[in-house]
Amino acid sequence: MLYLDRPAWPSRGRLWSHLISDVSYAELHAFAEALGAPRRGFDRDHYDIPADRFPMAVWLGARVVPSRELVRLLRGAG
């Protein structure tokens, strides 16, 4: 499953979300590619997704969760 927090993280004049998978990096990279997110947006265990791509990520099936839940899911996935 893919998870996303709401765009709330400011950087470079934009707001950003974090996109994770609790299944695999392969699932995460495939989803990010379908979303049009560049590979340089990958940061160790998540993708940084700009606010303008947030609606498309949700439409493609990412589940929106609070940031704290995202951290809990990442820790649980290892």
Side-chain angles (χ1 to χ4, degrees):
M1 180 72 160
L2 291 140
Y3 299 91
L4 180 73
D5 61 359
R6 296 203 175 271
W9 307 97
S11 181
R12 294 172 275 159
R14 300 165 94 178
L15 291 177
W16 298 80
S17 294
H18 301 107
L19 176 69
I20 68 159
S21 168
D22 65 350
V23 174
S24 69
Y25 286 129
E27 179 188 46
L28 180 60
H29 293 309
F31 188 90
E33 186 175 332
L35 184 59
R39 188 64 176 240
R40 70 179 177 272
F42 182 68
D43 185 12
R44 295 181 304 207
D45 57 5
H46 71 277
Y47 272 86
D48 294 321
I49 303 296
D52 62 323
R53 292 191 193 259
F54 180 84
M56 178 61 79
V58 173
W59 186 80
L60 287 171
R63 182 172 168 213
V64 180
V65 297
S67 298
R68 287 182 186 211
E69 179 70 4
L70 211 65
V71 171
R72 188 191 69 74
L73 289 162
L74 271 175
R75 286 186 180 150

